[in-house]
Amino acid sequence: MDDFIYRGRAGEGLENTGNDAGARQPVVRGRSTGSAGEELFCEGVPLSRIAREVGTPVYVYSYNTLTRHFKVFDEAFDGIPHVICFAMKANSNIAVVKAFSALGGGADVVSGGELFRALKAGVEPSKIVYAGVGKTEREIEAALTAGILMFNIESQEELLAIDGVAGRLGVKALIALRVNPDVDAKTHPYISTGLKKNKFGVSIEQAMDEYERAEALPNVKVVGIHQHIGSQLTEISPFVDSLKKTAELARRLKSKGFGIKYIDVGGGLGIRYLNEKPPLPSELARAIRPVLEDLGCTLVFEPGRVLAGNAGCLVTKVLYRKSTAEKNFIIVDAGMNDLVRPTLYQAYHEIKQVVPTDAPEFSADVVGPICETGDFLAKDRAMRVPQPGEFLAVMSAGAYGFTMSSNYNSRPRAAEVMVDGDGYYIIRRREDYEDLVSGEEIPEFLEEKAARDA
Ligand SMILES: *Cc1c(COP(=O)(O)O)cnc(C)c1O
């Protein structure tokens, strides 16, 4: 996270703290904690300033990191026709999506809501791909009307539904079949998607039959093959192994006359949260070029985490400290409703003091205000004893952070901020209590009953 660095409080003494930005060389430079007299900046803005002015909890994204990651990924595939469709489920704020679309990026959407956001952010419909096992007729219609690049089809029944809607609208639906190459992505089981036992796609063995069936439908046109084998991959071999199978299928399809124009490689490239050493985009490119180059297809990529993950952090305020016979707890104002990854995947997120102190070190659980034992951001974490009112930055939170947040415990969702150089912009205001109940209604009969029974 080259744009999240400790600097002297006067703005000097630039000290890089390491937590590398996924798309760069994974080297730790400097210390992972700042020292007293410094403070944590996002680009040119002290996080403490944003926390004071916008309040906490707040998500902060670096425009510079977002765009650098996009460019690093894009340049890795120089010389091969390709489209980078940012996986919006990682971070669907329209300002973030706009930052990518302005660089020529497209979008990988998995719902009508994400499609709506992509269009709002100015993504060209011809650069939108649409995956997901449960597309509804209404969502299919919206995507056909927009004129997206292609649907990534997950089942035969879905294919028939799309054919039906396209027929009704008098258009052709461009489709790729999502194949499930049965390759172990070696990642957390909840984010592994390319195994036979997963709900996604159709098996390579079935694929040929499915393609024949698709081609026979009147309102569907086969244009590609899609795969996505999982998320937070830290090795290259699952990509190569699965793409070899997919490339082989593409060759067979082409020899039978199918117009396969796109190979959609999916997303999944991992990032460094702690000490993972994920491949760089350039290394991925070097490994898969030979597998795909001679197919003469346009490659579609759907990176999410690798573009956004290390471009953002969640800033939270320490409320209270408490110690039991067993443990120390730091209670902060962000909870599992704001960042669920630790709870859901036992994910590790580095936590930094926004304004470092030389307080003694201890080990503590960093927990939120939610009434659940599973509400934690870190367990048994070595850290300096923070003071109430102090700000902590939960790092690597730019992907699957805000997008997975909820209003659980009736907590308004956090604000989102984008930093550009010395300035920052609120790209989503903090929700308020009225937002919580907007759309809810008390039916008249309840009011009447209450009046009668009173
Ligand atoms: C989640 C998802 C992605 C993005 O995965 P990352 O690991 O964030 O890169 C891409 N494609 C599909 C179909 C997905 O479901």
Side-chain angles (χ1 to χ4, degrees):
M1 303 186 79
D2 293 3
D3 291 301
F4 292 89
I5 53 180
Y6 284 106
R7 295 186 189 188
R9 304 201 67 178
E12 293 165 39
L14 190 145
E15 176 76 34
N16 193 306
T17 59
N19 191 11
D20 163 80
R24 313 285 305 286
Q25 197 62 41
V27 286
V28 180
R29 279 169 292 179
R31 306 175 306 280
S32 65
T33 53
S35 51
E38 296 178 322
E39 69 167 292
L40 191 57
F41 279 63
C42 176
E43 301 192 26
V45 183
L47 288 175
S48 63
R49 189 180 132 209
I50 296 173
R52 269 195 313 273
E53 293 175 2
V54 182
T56 53
V58 56
Y59 277 94
V60 181
Y61 311 121
S62 159
Y63 170 77
N64 191 38
T65 309
L66 288 167
T67 50
R68 188 182 64 238
H69 287 178
F70 183 91
K71 288 177 194 159
V72 165
F73 202 101
D74 198 23
E75 282 159 16
F77 294 93
D78 262 354
I80 310 181
H82 66 275
V83 193
I84 299 176
C85 295
F86 174 57
M88 283 181 58
K89 73 180 193 286
N91 189 324
S92 58
N93 186 292
I94 56 175
V96 171
V97 178
K98 181 77 191 178
F100 295 135
S101 73
L103 296 173
D108 164 39
V109 306
V110 294
S111 70
E114 285 187 356
L115 173 66
F116 174 80
R117 285 174 174 277
L119 297 173
K120 266 244 180 277
V123 179
E124 285 173 40
S126 64
K127 291 181 179 173
I128 296 177
V129 292
Y130 187 174
V133 296
K135 306 175 188 86
T136 65
E137 290 217 354
R138 187 165 160 239
E139 291 175 315
I140 293 165
E141 181 168 336
L144 284 170
T145 306
I148 63 166
L149 173 63
M150 62 185 182
F151 291 90
N152 291 328
I153 305 289
E154 308 251 9
S155 68
Q156 202 189 121
E157 291 191 359
E158 179 199 336
L159 183 61
L160 295 176
I162 289 178
D163 182 60
V165 179
R168 183 154 53 73
L169 297 178
V171 296
K172 281 251 182 216
L174 308 182
I175 65 120
L177 277 189
R178 177 170 182 170
V179 297
N180 182 331
D182 194 29
V183 163
D184 186 357
K186 297 179 192 143
T187 184
H188 190 284
Y190 286 8
I191 50 177
S192 174
T193 56
L195 283 170
K196 275 212 167 109
K197 64 181 177 192
N198 299 138
K199 70 177 175 183
F200 298 100
V202 299
S203 72
I204 290 262
E205 296 76 38
Q206 273 173 18
M208 191 53 84
D209 283 354
E210 296 293 342
Y211 270 103
E212 308 267 11
R213 245 190 293 268
E215 198 73 332
L217 293 172
N219 311 302
V220 158
K221 187 167 156 42
V222 170
V223 293
I225 306 183
H226 174 238
Q227 68 159 57
H228 170 72
I229 57 173
S231 199
Q232 184 56 14
L233 272 69
T234 52
E235 289 175 38
I236 285 188
S237 59
F239 287 107
V240 173
D241 295 348
S242 59
L243 285 169
K244 279 185 178 157
K245 295 188 184 183
T246 297
E248 172 54 31
L249 176 64
R251 263 184 280 275
R252 279 197 286 140
L253 285 166
K254 286 189 139 193
S255 73
K256 292 200 170 191
F258 285 89
I260 302 296
K261 289 199 289 190
Y262 301 101
I263 305 284
D264 187 336
V265 174
L269 194 56
I271 64 168
R272 203 157 78 84
Y273 287 98
L274 176 60
N275 49 22
E276 301 90 340
K277 289 201 170 55
L280 299 172
S282 58
E283 291 164 344
L284 177 67
R286 206 171 313 132
I288 68 174
R289 263 175 199 263
V291 183
L292 300 173
E293 216 154 28
D294 66 335
L295 290 171
C297 289
T298 296
L299 303 185
V300 178
F301 296 97
E302 304 172 341
R305 191 187 311 267
V306 71
L307 299 190
N310 273 327
C313 70
L314 171 65
V315 182
T316 180
K317 188 167 74 181
V318 175
L319 296 175
Y320 307 109
R321 303 164 303 179
K322 80 184 240 184
S323 298
T324 65
E326 299 277 310
K327 283 215 180 240
N328 300 308
F329 293 98
I330 304 299
I331 299 151
V332 297
D333 67 358
M336 64 186 274
N337 73 298
D338 298 297
L339 180 66
V340 78
R341 298 190 69 259
T343 305
L344 189 58
Y345 313 120
Q346 292 76 50
Y348 180 96
H349 284 267
E350 189 175 357
I351 296 182
K352 295 182 179 200
Q353 282 183 300
V354 168
V355 180
T357 62
D358 43 24
E361 286 212 16
F362 75 156
S363 171
D365 284 9
V366 180
V367 301
I370 300 268
C371 298
E372 296 266 355
T373 300
D375 178 28
F376 60 87
L377 298 175
K379 288 249 181 199
D380 301 316
R381 187 65 59 85
M383 59 194 299
R384 291 198 189 273
V385 180
Q387 293 297 313
E390 216 184 297
F391 299 124
L392 299 176
V394 184
M395 309 307 286
S396 310
Y400 306 103
F402 186 88
T403 51
M404 295 182 90
S405 68
S406 77
N407 291 120
Y408 188 40
N409 278 208
S410 282
R411 288 168 44 82
R413 278 178 296 174
E416 291 178 286
V417 161
M418 183 181 282
V419 172
D420 178 33
D422 293 333
Y424 76 82
Y425 305 86
I426 295 175
I427 57 172
R428 194 180 206 275
R429 66 165 173 79
R430 182 179 308 287
E431 286 181 345
D432 60 23
Y433 292 149
E434 285 301 329
D435 290 322
L436 290 180
V437 293
S438 93
E440 293 181 23
E441 221 162 319
I442 298 174
E444 213 158 297
F445 89 93
L446 286 177
E447 299 282 18
E448 283 164 9
K449 263 196 206 296
R452 226 178 12 246
D453 300 346

